[in-house]
């Protein structure tokens, strides 16, 4: 049984530190929610991403990949300029839970095949089972997995690689060298096909539809390339502007292409028709990375501040926004990313399938932030009104679901729900206590809370009635009848006998008459007339109703009269004459 709740209205209550924020908002009730509760500080089922860890073990992270098979976090990094005692460039393999470094692959072949320390600029695709395909300066295409002493790699002929993506086959990759798009062999970097466009340097591959979207930010347009023919199939105009270029990504589920442009993201469908524009961040924030999750149908966009305090709206902080891919609406509350700006490179993002966790890089600070998904509690069961007698045991039950599993605190109101206070120690789904008369009219509710917010059940009212102090039904049970009342009577003289019900029986003459009268009187006091031994209520028959007492009095009068008549009949006659 949980500790008794306070009986004094207005007594200050205490709560654990984890629920301090919850209890601070408990005094004011919210609107009734569809789930049957009274609401809370956020609507039930609200999705929130919160930072749970930060890793500074992988240098200046330039790209991130959460491997779908091995679940390891791969990080492509440059060296941090301020750490002159160490060079952190290379391919780092981290434990995604705590950022612990499993291994670092820092060596990769140069243009002549000589191994040397190489930075990793972009992670292109996961290798089956474990490992990654990546791009390293200036034209290197490398492959490596956790524990390798050095990466395998080859150099592409031509200019510096500006972007890369998985190729149409498992053994090839697509690379952009400025406005030149090529399909190259992963192991040898041999060019299989090439296409020169009017401009651009960034693109995205829609493998499901055999399409490449190549963005020409300078001319504000996209080219849709058909990979089967390796030719331009269409040209799509982008909104006019003079701002900076961001990213080009394709939602693999819908085929929609998302382009970070200036301070917004423009979205076109798989055919190139405009769908809408996504806004996010604050002030001068710019969209710099995006990732998609097919399980939740959501897009995750990282916005970076310009890092230029002379620009209006620049505050040095970035943001993460989450959007539904089907209507572009907000799917989670925006998250501020302190200090994430674009002065030392663009951020990167990778999402765990199902969206339970994601990772965002901050090149300026040399850190990776792990964020976890939380869902505010939704009430699935609330307590019900109860009516009990004083002294009876009361059990109230409530349930809610959320991520992570919410904690619960029971609250009580002594003023019809105007104010609420926590019940000390009542932190289980079921709250049990012994009802007291002072509890009559009190209201009880449960407040569930987790990292995403708090939700409260509708209140239940407790009605306490007076305790039942009688036993045996309050004098309605059978009593010992008159079978034992007046069993003896004097012969020729008045005799008094007492029945078990406490009624005096007076008789004269033969005992049988006195006994019969005693039987009648004794039976009149019980519920079973004519005798038999029954249970006697507490207090005896004389503690019964006034009607029973009147019956006893009447019986006594009849008995007295009968005895007088017998005395007269048996008295001897006087002799005459």
């Amino acid at each position: 049984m949980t500790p008794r709740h306070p009986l004094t209205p207005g007594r200050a209550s205490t709560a654990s530190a984890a629920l301090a924020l919850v209890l601070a908002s408990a005094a004011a009730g919210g609107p009734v929610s569809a789930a049957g509760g009274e609401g809370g500080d956020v609507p039930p089922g609200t999705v929130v991403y919160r930072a749970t860890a930060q890793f500074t073990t992988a240098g200046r992270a330039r790209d991130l990949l959460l491997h779908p098979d091995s679940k390891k976090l791969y990080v492509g990094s440059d060296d941090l300029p301020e750490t002159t005692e160490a060079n952190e460039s290379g391919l780092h393999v981290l434990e995604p839970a705590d950022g612990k470094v499993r291994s670092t692959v820092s060596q990769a072949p140069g243009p002549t095949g000589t191994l040397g320390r190489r930075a990793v600029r972009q992670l292109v695709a996961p290798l089956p089972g474990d490992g990654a395909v990546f791009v390293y300066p200036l034209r290197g295409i490398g492959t490596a997995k956790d524990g390798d002493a050095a990466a395998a790699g080859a150099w592409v002929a031509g200019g510096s690689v500006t972007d890369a993506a998985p190729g149409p086959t498992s053994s090839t990759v697509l690379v952009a060298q400025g406005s030149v798009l090529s399909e190259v062999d992963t192991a040898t970097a041999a060019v299989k096909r090439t296409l020169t466009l009017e401009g651009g340097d960034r693109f995205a591959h829609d493998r499901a539809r055999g399409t490449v979207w190549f963005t020409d930010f300078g001319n504000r347009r996209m080219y849709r390339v058909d990979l089967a023919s390796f030719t331009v199939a269409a040209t799509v105009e982008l909104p006019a502007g003079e701002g900076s270029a961001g990213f080009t990504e394709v939602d693999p589920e819908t085929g929609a292409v998302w382009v970070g442009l200036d301070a917004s993201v423009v979205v076109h469908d798989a055919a190139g028709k405009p769908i809408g524009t996504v806004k996010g961040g604050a002030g001068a924030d710019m969209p710099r990375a995006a990732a998609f999750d097919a399980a939740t149908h959501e897009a995750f966009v990282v916005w970076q501040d310009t890092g230029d305090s002379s620009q209006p709206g620049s505050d040095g902080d970035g943001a993460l926004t989450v959007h539904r891919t089907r209507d572009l609406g907000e799917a989670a509350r925006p998250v501020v990313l302190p200090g994430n700006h674009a002065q030392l490179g663009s951020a990167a993002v990778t999402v765990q399938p199902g969206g339970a966790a994601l990772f965002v890089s901050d090149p300026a600070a040399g850190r990776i932030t792990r964020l976890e998904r939380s869902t505010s509690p939704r009430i699935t069961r609330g307590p019900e009104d109860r009516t009990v007698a004083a002294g009876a045991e009361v059990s109230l039950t409530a349930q809610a679901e959320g991520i992570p599993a919410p904690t619960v605190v029971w609250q009580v109101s002594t003023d019809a729900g105007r104010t609420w206070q926590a019940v000390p120690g009542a932190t289980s789904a079921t709250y049990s206590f012994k009802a007291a008369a002072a509890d009559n009219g009190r209201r009880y509710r449960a407040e569930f809370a987790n990292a995403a917010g708090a939700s409260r059940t509708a209140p239940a009212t407790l009605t306490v009635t007076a305790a039942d102090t009688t036993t045996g039904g309050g004098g309605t049970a059978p009593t010992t009848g008159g079978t034992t009342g007046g069993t003896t009577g004097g012969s020729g003289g008045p005799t008094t006998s007492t029945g078990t019900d406490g009624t005096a029986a007076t008789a004269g003459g033969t005992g049988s008459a006195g006994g019969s009268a005693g039987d009648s009187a004794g039976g009149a006091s019980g519920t079973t007339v004519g005798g038999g031994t029954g249970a006697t209520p507490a207090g005896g028959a004389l503690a019964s109703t006034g009607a029973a007492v009147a019956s006893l009095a009447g019986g006594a009068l009849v008995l007295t009269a009968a005895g007088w008549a017998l005395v007269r009949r048996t008295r001897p006659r006087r002799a005459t004459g």
Side-chain angles (χ1 to χ4, degrees):
M1 180 183 297
T2 56
R4 183 82 179 116
H5 62 75
L7 296 178
T8 304
R11 179 185 298 181
S13 61
T14 59
S16 66
L19 294 174
L21 178 62
V22 174
L23 297 180
S25 65
V32 176
S33 71
E38 282 202 326
D41 57 354
V42 296
T46 297
V47 177
V48 173
Y49 279 90
R50 59 191 179 94
T52 58
Q54 289 189 330
F55 313 148
T56 56
T57 52
R60 182 156 62 113
R62 301 298 299 270
D63 204 2
L64 305 173
L65 172 66
L66 190 62
H67 199 282
D69 300 326
S70 68
K71 314 303 181 186
K72 300 170 186 176
L73 180 62
Y74 279 78
V75 184
S77 296
D78 277 341
D79 183 36
L80 281 168
E82 60 268 27
T83 57
T84 56
E85 73 282 0
N87 186 334
E88 300 97 344
S89 60
L91 180 68
H92 301 273
V93 187
L94 308 185
E95 292 288 357
D98 56 13
K100 181 180 178 180
V101 179
R102 296 178 57 93
S103 65
T104 298
V105 182
S106 60
Q107 300 291 310
T112 63
T114 304
L115 290 176
R117 184 137 201 161
R118 314 291 179 185
V120 174
R121 296 291 177 86
Q122 185 177 2
L123 297 170
V124 179
L127 292 172
D130 190 29
V133 180
F134 57 91
V135 172
Y136 59 97
L138 295 171
R139 305 187 307 277
I141 304 296
T143 59
K145 64 180 183 298
D146 182 19
D148 284 350
W155 281 55
V156 184
S160 298
V161 174
T162 55
D163 202 1
T169 69
S170 59
S171 62
T172 63
V173 294
L174 295 170
V175 299
Q177 295 167 285
S179 60
V180 178
L181 176 67
S182 301
E183 179 185 3
V184 303
D185 183 81
T186 303
T188 64
V191 175
K192 292 181 172 294
R193 295 185 293 176
T194 188
L195 171 66
T196 300
L197 300 154
E198 293 183 30
D201 58 6
R202 303 295 298 275
F203 71 94
H205 177 202
D206 182 2
R207 176 175 284 183
R209 296 159 188 83
T211 300
V212 165
W213 290 96
F214 202 100
T215 308
D216 182 353
F217 289 101
N219 293 312
R220 313 291 283 198
R221 64 179 59 134
M222 290 190 299
Y223 305 103
R224 192 178 72 193
V225 177
D226 176 64
L227 280 185
S229 61
F230 223 68
T231 58
V232 175
T235 300
V236 177
E237 298 298 324
L238 294 173
E242 296 180 356
S244 58
F247 60 82
T248 303
E249 298 288 351
V250 169
D251 175 9
E253 181 184 15
T254 65
V257 56
W258 293 50
V259 179
L261 199 63
D262 304 333
S264 63
V265 180
V266 294
V267 185
H268 294 73
D269 67 14
K273 179 181 178 181
I275 296 176
T277 301
V278 171
K279 299 288 186 180
D285 288 354
M286 305 172 296
R288 282 295 179 264
F292 301 91
D293 179 55
T296 59
H297 314 292
E298 292 172 352
F300 301 80
V301 181
V302 177
W303 306 74
Q304 285 182 286
D305 188 80
T306 62
D308 183 356
S309 58
S310 66
Q311 291 191 14
S314 177
D315 58 5
D317 295 334
L320 169 77
T321 59
V322 186
H323 310 271
R324 295 185 297 270
T325 56
R326 294 179 177 179
D327 62 8
L328 309 186
E330 185 179 273
R333 288 185 166 186
V335 182
V336 174
L337 301 175
N340 200 323
H341 61 77
Q343 287 294 305
L344 292 178
S346 296
V349 59
T350 186
V351 181
Q352 186 181 87
L358 59 93
F359 302 84
V360 178
S361 70
D362 181 350
R367 67 188 173 205
I368 300 165
T369 300
R370 175 187 170 100
L371 299 103
E372 295 182 6
R373 184 186 188 102
S374 298
T375 305
S376 65
R378 185 178 68 85
I379 305 300
T380 58
R381 178 181 177 181
E384 298 178 352
D385 294 346
R386 296 290 307 276
T387 299
V388 299
E393 189 83 0
V394 178
S395 289
L396 303 174
T397 299
Q399 295 175 342
E401 59 185 17
I403 301 173
T407 56
V408 60
V409 168
W410 284 90
Q411 299 171 342
V412 61
S413 174
T414 59
D415 54 8
R418 288 188 292 274
T419 62
W420 294 86
Q421 58 184 336
V423 179
T427 56
S428 299
T430 297
Y431 169 41
S432 299
F433 61 95
K434 186 171 290 186
D439 294 331
N440 184 48
R442 292 191 173 195
R443 298 184 182 184
Y444 298 86
R445 71 184 183 187
E447 183 165 81
F448 292 88
N450 62 14
S455 297
R456 297 181 288 270
T457 67
T461 301
L462 179 63
T463 302
V464 182
T465 61
D468 186 358
T469 59
T470 63
T471 58
T476 60
T479 65
T480 303
T483 55
T484 60
T487 57
T488 62
S491 176
T495 302
T496 300
S497 64
T498 303
T500 58
D501 58 0
T503 304
T506 304
T510 64
S512 61
S516 298
D519 288 348
S520 299
S525 67
T527 59
T528 304
V529 178
T533 301
T536 304
L542 293 180
S544 302
T545 64
V549 174
S551 177
L552 289 173
L557 290 175
V558 171
L559 181 59
T560 303
W564 178 252
L566 287 172
V567 169
R568 291 193 62 187
R569 288 179 182 177
T570 59
R571 182 177 297 173
R573 294 175 180 269
R574 283 185 182 180
T576 58

